[in-house]
Amino acid sequence: MSVTGTTKNLEALSFILTAEFDAGVERVWQLWEDPRQLERWWGPPTWPATFEKFDFEPGGRAGYYMTGPEGEKAGGWWSFTSIQPPARLEFDDGFADDNGAPVEAMGSTHVTVTLEESSGRTTMTVATIFESEEQMEQMVQMGMEEGMTGAVGQIDAILAEHANA
């Protein structure tokens, strides 16, 4: 599996996932900038994502939903705050209702993705910062760590397809 570690720090209100891939940084960046590729891995394996909106520029927004095994849907939104290809991406992330509007009661998190290449391999770090201890604990109880680990674990197969193409 590509995930090399996760760290939860309640004092810093952070959850950090680190993964390593047998691909260059430009290729791994494509997994974030192309919504069709993003749909193939964002969300746990049993909850695939569908991006309905994807305005990939600072100030732009993305809207998506994940579909569960019984057909249930869970919406989400991103607001891109910084895009520095191919090394860094920052966005605010939150839950959305059936109409794509933010669910204010759930708050939002700030996500920073960094990609670093070394010897043809890329290390990806996804750092999520929470608004409060309560929000962080709620997200962890909802399965955030397992969900993100499972989601990122799908990337190797996508990269292998392109490497063999």
Side-chain angles (χ1 to χ4, degrees), residues 1-5 17-32 41 84-88 113-126 152 155-156 159:
M1 179 174 283
S2 53
V3 174
T4 57
L17 179 140
T18 306
E20 192 170 297
F21 304 103
D22 284 321
V25 70
E26 296 277 352
R27 176 64 190 104
V28 176
W29 179 262
Q30 292 172 359
L31 297 171
W32 287 97
W41 69 271
Q84 301 167 31
R88 188 176 178 94
V113 179
T114 54
L115 303 176
E116 297 174 313
E117 187 172 340
S118 178
S119 303
R121 293 178 61 83
T122 298
T123 299
M124 178 174 78
T125 304
V126 181
V152 172
I155 292 176
D156 281 331
L159 294 172

Side-chain angles (χ1 to χ4, degrees), residues 24-143:
V25 70
E26 296 277 352
R27 176 64 190 104
V28 176
W29 179 262
Q30 292 172 359
L31 297 171
W32 287 97
E33 73 178 354
D34 177 358
R36 302 296 75 92
Q37 290 184 57
L38 193 54
E39 287 176 335
R40 297 191 56 207
W41 69 271
W42 184 257
T46 58
W47 283 80
T50 301
F51 279 81
E52 299 179 299
K53 178 181 182 174
F54 197 78
D55 186 12
F56 193 68
E57 62 183 23
R61 292 183 67 85
Y64 68 94
Y65 62 88
M66 295 183 292
T67 305
E70 306 298 321
E72 63 274 44
K73 292 187 178 180
W77 60 268
W78 292 351
S79 179
F80 298 107
T81 57
S82 178
I83 299 175
Q84 301 167 31
R88 188 176 178 94
L89 168 65
E90 293 186 48
F91 57 92
D92 294 325
D93 179 20
F95 291 93
D97 65 18
D98 292 342
N99 297 315
V103 177
E104 301 296 338
M106 295 295 290
S108 64
T109 60
H110 186 75
V111 178
T112 302
V113 179
T114 54
L115 303 176
E116 297 174 313
E117 187 172 340
S118 178
S119 303
R121 293 178 61 83
T122 298
T123 299
M124 178 174 78
T125 304
V126 181
T128 303
I129 305 298
F130 300 87
E131 295 175 336
S132 67
E133 286 185 22
E134 296 77 25
Q135 181 196 38
M136 182 176 175
E137 289 171 350
Q138 181 181 15
M139 299 280 275
V140 167
Q141 288 175 355
M142 290 172 67

